Amino acid sequence: MGFLRRGGRRGHDEDFVAYYAARAGHLRNTAYLLCGDWHLAEDLTQTAFTNLYRAWGRIDRHDVLDQYARRVLLRVFLDERRRPWRREQPTLPGSAEFEAVAVDDRHLENRQVLKTALLRVPKRRRAVLVLRFWADLSVEQVAEILGCSTGTVKSQTSRGLDDLRSALGGALHDLKTSGGQP
């Protein structure tokens, strides 16, 4: 994306608005995969973009904005889970009043099974799986975002996939036979 700095504050804001318009949907989808709740995903996305906007003037390498935005989103997600009100009044995944209606229901059942299983994976491993397989990042990129070694990313990926397979149980065979493509 060619987000270049233009002169003055107005160009600064225009660049940010253009980036937001281009990438907000993708970042919101990534947030949803991390937390499993569309409303919380929207909140996480807005907080991540607020943090990104505050740092926007200091960002020199606009060629890695997506990676930086994912890192900010991941930190917002991890911080949000530490908030006391999340422990006091949790929103249960799958609560009918909080779930969005899926527009494309061809593979709705597969999506629901995968989502439920993904939410059973510990959050650090879930973050690695989402970054590796949803955001399609390399091991090195995930290691940089998470601030760990590539070996840690590899082991967390392996363990996360094991956890996901275990959470899927017998549904894994059903997903394989039905094509498994959500």
Side-chain angles (χ1 to χ4, degrees):
M1 293 187 189
F3 299 106
L4 303 173
R5 290 195 183 150
R6 298 182 194 127
R9 177 78 175 173
R10 184 174 180 201
H12 169 88
D13 289 347
E14 288 173 1
D15 288 346
F16 180 80
V17 168
Y19 181 74
Y20 177 83
R23 302 305 294 163
H26 181 72
L27 206 60
R28 185 174 31 258
N29 289 340
T30 302
Y32 175 73
L33 287 174
L34 288 170
C35 69
D37 180 326
W38 281 112
H39 299 283
L40 180 57
E42 184 68 35
D43 291 345
L44 294 173
T45 303
Q46 290 301 319
T47 303
F49 272 107
T50 300
N51 293 347
L52 186 62
Y53 181 76
R54 290 193 326 222
W56 193 257
R58 297 186 309 268
I59 298 173
D60 292 328
R61 295 191 53 210
H62 286 246
D63 57 322
V64 292
L65 272 175
D66 286 342
Q67 183 176 353
Y68 182 69
R70 281 189 294 268
R71 179 184 299 187
V72 170
L73 176 67
L74 180 64
R75 300 213 177 187
V76 167
F77 166 69
L78 294 173
D79 288 345
E80 182 69 22
R81 288 294 172 197
R82 295 180 189 124
R83 304 256 188 243
W85 59 81
R86 289 290 173 207
R87 290 189 299 272
E88 294 171 6
Q89 300 267 332
T91 302
L92 299 174
S95 297
E97 61 270 17
F98 294 116
E99 291 297 314
V101 177
V103 176
D104 180 13
D105 63 350
R106 290 179 294 154
H107 299 288
L108 182 61
E109 186 176 323
N110 288 348
R111 283 187 207 150
Q112 187 61 38
V113 168
L114 285 172
K115 178 185 128 185
T116 302
L118 187 60
L119 289 174
R120 291 184 184 147
V121 174
K123 66 181 177 182
R124 182 84 172 178
R125 292 177 186 169
R126 184 182 341 146
V128 170
L129 293 178
V130 168
L131 292 173
R132 286 282 291 128
F133 301 110
W134 172 257
D136 198 27
L137 298 179
S138 69
V139 170
E140 293 78 16
Q141 290 170 316
V142 174
E144 185 177 331
I145 289 171
L146 296 177
C148 63
S149 70
T150 57
T152 300
V153 171
K154 290 176 184 178
S155 67
Q156 291 294 305
T157 301
S158 175
R159 291 179 184 138
L161 288 172
D162 288 343
D163 291 342
L164 187 59
R165 285 184 197 104
S166 176
L168 284 169
L172 183 60
H173 175 71
D174 296 338
L175 287 173
K176 286 179 181 178
T177 58
S178 69
Q181 298 297 320

